[in-house]
Amino acid sequence: MSYKLDLSDLDRGAATSVTQQLVDLISSAIDDGTLPPGEKLPPTRDLAADAGVNHLTAARVYRRLAERGYVTASVGRGTFVRQVPPSSASDELDDDWQLAILPERRTSPAAEALMDSFRITHGRRDVISLAAGFPSPDLAPAAELARITAKVFDEVGRDALDYIDSEGLPELREELARRGAAAGFASEPEELLVVSGARQGIDLVTRALLRPGDVAVVESPTFVGALASLQQSGARVLGVGIDERGFDVPALERILARHEVKLVVLQTASQNPTGRDLSDERAERLARLARERSFFVLEDGVYATIRFDSAEPQRLRRRAPGHVIYVDSLSKTVGGGLRIGWIAARGPALARLTAMKMDDDMFTATLNQHIAARYLASDEHERQLARGVPHYRARRDALLRALDRHLAEDGRWLEPVGGHHVWVTLRRPIDDRTLWLEALREGVAFTPGSATMVEPGPRTSLRLSFSMLPPERLEEGVRRLARALRAAHRVDRRRASAPLS
Ligand SMILES: Cc1ncc(COP(=O)(O)O)c(C=O)c1O
């Protein structure tokens, strides 16, 4: 900065303090444009050295400038001349001024890649999308829900449109507790907080428990939304791999030997994207570790009831109900548009989460809670789950057969026991952006594995979702993917042999 500001005029004998002189000097330089908007100011240490003042004086100078709106400070990045929004002549044409006002948003290349894949494939009938793991449209219980909705208005009338408590509708919490007692995620309605989808549940938990600098551990690969919430929290996020017995608990123990871990995040059944369960032995070990080392576990069970050949496993929370916070929803079995999710927890953590739910959106839509409560009280949900078993199993098998036929030489995969996805790892690594672009050219989309991982490993992986496509489309999708892979390898070879310019 010293090349832009002349500090030689500071008058140590003057009536005006040196602090004030520095404030005036820097603010005039900002006013006359010598220091333009966005310019980074030197660290306080350097300002102190250049001006011959102590470090506290330099810090005070920046504080005063910030109070007057001349500069903004951002932890870890430094102090900057405030961006002055350009005035826009016409309100209709130019919204660029907003960029100067909007605070910075932390995002990851992985999340951006995923958003791209939804944006680009949305509404394109020529592209077979193996990227979205939503419930099969063929199973949507629309007629049943229409009937239940009419019944709700018949029975409770305008109460269905009322404000209610943040915890959620008592009838729904009771239904959820009944299921929780059988599956092991809750034992009484008071443990349940209704939220707007599991996504909100995950976000509330990470915001309630983590502060910048805390250490959190997450299964990797995982649900991209869990990664986004963890990254937004500012915590240091460490990844732990998954094998055929699920989350690698021995790897977690090695991390615990070196770090004070506050939160461990995982799905214990039909995991997205590997489709595997946490083994009994590992679940026991994880529950014991949580108790011994006093950390929270966020257990996500959104795919736990989608099974192909075995019953849904007991949830981890049964083994350590004070340490495990459970999230789940009806999004994967009924429909994501309902936005009915829940958290099961207890103690001060539950009180904190309830208060945050209140701050966020007060409560989850009353009408949808009435519908969900009646739907769960009937045996409609059991029928819905039963319909899903052969439906999704046939689609999983069709995808596995297509992989055997077209990609056996190029990759390997774990057979999912539940859920909507197959996790494919390629034998030869390839840039997944190149593969993704070639795939789109061939008319197929997938989720790049790197979008689901804390740190992309040396191998290339793909998440392929089968839930929304009939068997013949899955076969065609994998055929296109195999062609795209060959094309991507050709691009890679051409790049490798191109002379450096
Ligand atoms: C593992 C996992 N957890 C949570 C969610 C979010 O679920 P919801 O739609 O209920 O917010 C998803 C959605 O894809 C998911 O895959």
Side-chain angles (χ1 to χ4, degrees):
M1 144 167 148
S2 46
Y3 76 98
K4 284 192 171 168
L5 279 180
D6 183 2
L7 299 176
S8 60
D9 281 350
L10 288 177
D11 180 357
R12 283 159 216 286
T16 314
S17 70
V18 176
T19 306
Q20 191 54 46
Q21 289 181 55
L22 279 166
V23 170
D24 293 343
L25 200 75
I26 297 174
S27 51
S28 327
I30 293 173
D31 283 339
D32 70 17
T34 311
L35 290 173
E39 174 100 359
K40 184 170 185 194
L41 297 182
T44 44
R45 219 177 318 106
D46 294 2
L47 175 65
D50 286 356
V53 296
N54 70 33
H55 178 251
L56 287 176
T57 303
R60 199 174 311 123
V61 169
Y62 282 168
R63 204 164 50 243
R64 284 205 191 150
L65 286 165
E67 281 161 10
R68 293 178 185 189
Y70 276 101
V71 301
T72 51
S74 162
V75 177
R77 293 181 59 231
T79 302
F80 295 83
V81 176
R82 197 166 152 238
Q83 296 275 3
V84 180
S87 55
S88 60
S90 153
D91 198 35
E92 273 149 40
L93 296 179
D94 181 8
D95 292 325
D96 283 357
W97 64 272
Q98 294 182 357
L99 293 170
I101 300 266
L102 286 168
E104 221 182 309
R105 177 177 141 73
R106 260 184 262 183
T107 181
S108 66
E112 295 288 323
L114 196 75
M115 272 173 72
D116 274 0
S117 83
F118 282 125
R119 251 196 311 260
I120 294 172
T121 56
H122 189 76
R124 278 190 58 178
R125 296 188 65 79
D126 57 320
V127 175
I128 297 177
S129 179
L130 300 166
F134 304 145
S136 168
D138 303 346
L139 294 178
E144 288 81 359
L145 293 184
R147 197 174 36 74
I148 291 172
T149 307
K151 216 163 127 201
V152 168
F153 281 109
D154 277 353
E155 290 175 6
V156 302
R158 62 180 183 198
D159 283 1
L161 306 175
D162 244 358
Y163 282 81
I164 57 169
D165 288 339
S166 299
E167 286 85 348
L169 196 72
E171 301 94 291
L172 177 57
R173 294 168 78 207
E174 262 163 42
E175 276 311 316
L176 294 172
R178 197 165 60 78
R179 277 159 200 282
F185 64 73
S187 46
E188 48 198 31
E190 290 68 32
E191 289 185 310
L192 288 151
L193 168 65
V194 178
V195 290
S196 303
R199 184 70 192 81
Q200 184 182 44
I202 293 168
D203 205 55
L204 286 173
V205 172
T206 53
R207 282 195 284 127
L209 302 185
L210 296 173
R211 292 291 171 268
D214 287 342
V215 178
V217 173
V218 62
E219 60 187 0
S220 179
T222 188
F223 165 49
V224 72
L227 279 185
S229 285
L230 285 166
Q231 279 156 359
Q232 290 285 337
S233 76
R236 182 164 173 212
V237 182
L238 305 175
V240 156
I242 291 174
D243 58 30
E244 59 284 352
R245 283 179 294 152
F247 183 78
D248 188 350
V249 176
L252 170 68
E253 286 192 273
R254 291 193 289 278
I255 291 178
L256 289 169
R258 283 177 286 124
H259 298 277
E260 196 70 42
V261 171
K262 243 180 150 180
L263 175 67
V264 172
V265 180
L266 81 161
Q267 302 158 61
T268 50
S270 314
Q271 198 259 0
N272 167 12
T274 62
R276 306 301 298 187
D277 292 344
L278 182 68
S279 75
D280 243 25
E281 179 237 329
R282 285 188 181 176
E284 191 50 41
R285 212 155 143 190
L286 177 55
R288 203 186 60 232
L289 285 168
R291 281 192 300 267
E292 284 172 4
R293 300 290 301 265
S294 294
F295 58 79
F296 282 106
V297 177
L298 169 54
E299 179 185 22
D300 174 344
V302 299
Y303 283 107
T305 52
I306 298 174
R307 312 289 297 173
F308 308 128
D309 304 295
S310 51
E312 59 177 290
Q314 283 288 308
R315 306 301 191 277
L316 179 70
R317 184 158 189 265
R318 169 155 287 166
R319 298 174 197 257
H323 290 75
V324 178
I325 299 177
Y326 181 80
V327 299
D328 203 337
S329 74
L330 294 181
S331 303
K332 305 300 169 186
T333 50
V334 182
L338 265 186
R339 305 318 290 143
I340 292 291
W342 58 95
I343 294 177
R346 70 179 204 204
L350 177 61
R352 185 78 64 93
L353 290 163
T354 309
M356 288 173 67
K357 167 73 181 168
M358 171 87 178
D359 292 343
D360 258 23
D361 60 354
M362 295 178 74
F363 58 91
T364 292
T366 313
L367 173 59
N368 292 6
Q369 293 200 48
H370 275 289
I371 296 170
R374 277 171 179 69
Y375 167 80
L376 290 174
S378 71
D379 51 8
E380 205 42 69
H381 193 52
E382 272 57 47
R383 279 207 288 276
Q384 174 75 1
L385 294 179
R387 274 195 294 271
V389 176
H391 189 80
Y392 289 126
R393 186 167 47 212
R395 290 178 175 203
R396 173 200 64 172
D397 291 347
L399 179 56
L400 292 175
R401 272 197 308 275
L403 286 168
D404 277 340
R405 245 192 308 270
H406 303 293
L407 280 170
E409 304 274 287
D410 302 286
R412 52 191 166 73
W413 40 89
L414 290 170
E415 184 174 310
V417 299
H420 287 166
H421 322 280
V422 174
W423 180 246
V424 175
T425 299
L426 299 178
R427 290 180 205 278
R428 271 198 294 160
I430 188 153
D431 172 44
D432 63 8
R433 189 83 200 160
T434 307
L435 178 56
W436 194 80
L437 289 171
E438 289 303 327
L440 208 59
R441 232 185 293 264
E442 289 291 341
V444 62
F446 63 89
T447 302
S450 55
T452 68
M453 301 179 80
V454 176
E455 272 176 37
R459 298 189 178 281
T460 309
S461 297
L462 290 62
R463 190 192 77 168
L464 305 182
S465 306
F466 51 80
S467 52
M468 300 180 74
L469 296 168
E472 61 287 0
R473 295 291 280 168
L474 290 166
E475 164 76 22
E476 177 56 22
V478 175
R479 198 197 314 269
R480 292 179 188 184
L481 192 58
R483 275 203 301 266
L485 185 58
R486 287 193 294 274
H489 278 304
R490 281 196 297 275
V491 171
D492 249 17
R493 274 197 300 275
R494 266 204 307 279
R495 265 192 212 136
S497 61
L500 291 175
S501 55

